[in-house]
Amino acid sequence: MTTPIDELRTAAQTLMDLADIAREDLDTGDYWKPYNSATAWRDGLTNGMGGASGDLAAVFSPTTAHALATWLRAEAAIWDAVETVKAEYGPQGLKVTTPLSTHAQALAVARAINGGEQP
């Protein structure tokens, strides 16, 4: 059975893998050579796609993908810790003083990346 923690980790790994491949392509691909290395991703996608789609793709660079993956991994670790405490002490033994409100958003992002059902 796939758990929300599994979904978060799968999405994070997918993003990391794709970002690494994209970064390698950016560093070595002939397509990117006409562009300034600091702005190649943004400029190339904006130029290649154009419009709002190009603008959106342009801001979702390999660096952005890595940052999002790092967040998803952190959410998975927190979720895992909460589940461990609940398993050991039961739900009544778990006192959370900080709202875990980002879990639903992280899971929605993970499911969108994984192509699965949305919460």
Side-chain angles (χ1 to χ4, degrees), residues 31-111:
Y31 174 81
W32 302 102
K33 287 183 181 175
Y35 298 100
N36 175 305
S37 63
T39 61
W41 185 267
R42 182 199 68 213
D43 296 344
L45 285 167
T46 300
N47 182 44
M49 295 176 75
S53 296
D55 292 343
L56 175 61
V59 299
F60 204 83
S61 67
T63 302
T64 305
H66 268 270
L68 183 57
T70 299
W71 172 62
L72 292 174
R73 284 183 173 164
E75 287 294 323
I78 292 167
W79 203 319
D80 192 32
V82 168
E83 292 302 314
T84 299
V85 170
K86 282 174 28 180
E88 188 170 336
Y89 298 104
Q92 68 281 0
L94 180 65
K95 255 190 182 172
V96 178
T97 57
T98 304
L100 300 176
S101 62
T102 58
H103 287 333
Q105 292 86 354
L107 189 55
V109 168
R111 287 179 174 166

